[in-house]
Amino acid sequence: MHPLSEKLRVGLQGLGLLVSDERQAQLLAYMDLIAKWTKVYNLTAVRDADEMLTHHLLDSLAVIAPLRRELAKLPLGEGVDASAATYRLLDVGAGAGLPGVVIAITCPEVQVTCVDTVAKKAAFVQQVAATLRLPNLKGLHARVESLTQPYDVVCSRAFASLVDFTTWSKSALASHGVWMAMKGKHPDQEMAALPDGVNVFHVEQLHVPGLDAERCIVWMRG
């Protein structure tokens, strides 16, 4: 039994998320991989395991229910049954793979690409995909501006200003797609600076169990 199994279970209950025992084990194995690789590659500033659980895992898990809700609103291809639908998500400036890897573990119907300009971070995500046997996850070493394949959701977590995030990733967003920007405090000034072509349709407050800090998602369309 992993020493943080119970804490994760309680956190998932607090988020109202049903996650199988197998996927919970994968989430904890992923956290252990971050801790192991961080010793050499400095993937994250958070080193304490308890803190990693709240600041990284639960923080990323808090977006799963909102993400599923938005995915369910996306148009399906002709003749595609909703239960068999697959979606494409791009995690920009993914770093250690947050939230992309967490989304790939908990949402097998989502094909997740984690893009980062730092080769070792993209390589880490590839290693996670291989170790945890996640066929719907890949790490990509590239600049997001160079990507033109359409993604249903383009997301970021503590990456850049909303203007930079949307400008750099615009070419990767499908015409029907949405941007999902994970932020701390309500980013009023950043939202005011957005160009006319970017429309904020929802700012969603998040509650992360065990984390005494403001968190929100800024949902946008092009």
Side-chain angles (χ1 to χ4, degrees):
M1 176 80 86
H2 194 283
L4 290 175
S5 293
E6 183 60 20
K7 269 199 162 175
L8 175 60
R9 194 183 62 76
V10 171
L12 287 166
Q13 278 184 336
L15 290 167
L17 279 182
L18 284 173
V19 178
S20 70
D21 289 348
E22 181 191 0
R23 297 199 196 287
Q24 287 185 47
Q26 284 180 311
L27 287 166
L28 293 167
Y30 166 50
M31 206 174 77
D32 290 344
L33 282 169
I34 294 178
K36 183 178 166 186
W37 274 58
T38 287
K39 287 174 185 163
V40 180
Y41 289 118
N42 197 26
L43 293 173
T44 170
V46 177
R47 303 296 173 100
D48 176 74
D50 276 352
E51 206 178 328
M52 207 181 277
L53 182 77
T54 52
H55 286 63
H56 286 341
L57 272 197
L58 294 177
D59 188 62
S60 294
L61 285 162
V63 308
I64 298 300
L67 173 64
R68 284 177 174 155
R69 181 199 66 226
E70 291 302 324
L71 287 174
K73 295 178 187 175
L74 293 177
L76 293 173
E78 198 173 330
V80 176
D81 176 26
S83 63
T86 57
Y87 304 95
R88 288 165 50 81
L89 179 142
L90 179 68
D91 184 8
V92 179
L98 297 152
V101 174
V102 172
I103 293 168
I105 291 170
T106 51
C107 304
E109 73 281 12
V110 180
Q111 296 289 328
V112 177
T113 299
C114 294
V115 63
D116 206 290
T117 54
V118 179
K120 66 188 177 190
K121 292 179 177 176
F124 171 69
V125 173
Q126 286 288 77
Q127 183 63 50
V128 171
T131 305
L132 301 184
R133 296 184 176 87
L134 296 169
N136 61 326
L137 173 68
K138 75 171 179 180
L140 181 64
H141 175 221
R143 297 188 69 82
V144 66
E145 302 96 310
S146 69
L147 305 183
T148 53
Q149 277 193 307
Y151 290 85
D152 301 301
V153 180
V154 177
C155 77
S156 69
R157 175 179 180 264
F159 168 62
S161 71
L162 293 176
V163 170
D164 286 346
F165 167 51
T166 52
T167 301
W168 294 338
S169 62
K170 194 162 39 181
S171 62
L173 188 72
S175 57
H176 62 264
V178 295
W179 279 295
M180 179 181 89
M182 295 173 67
K183 291 286 181 180
K185 288 184 167 60
H186 195 293
D188 296 300
Q189 288 180 308
E190 288 186 33
M191 285 165 55
L194 284 167
D196 290 343
V198 179
N199 168 40
V200 176
F201 66 90
H202 186 33
V203 179
E204 185 161 1
Q205 298 300 319
L206 298 176
H207 168 67
V208 181
L211 189 63
D212 185 23
E214 289 184 58
R215 289 287 187 271
C216 70
I217 301 173
V218 181
W219 291 100
M220 298 166 285
R221 288 192 186 93

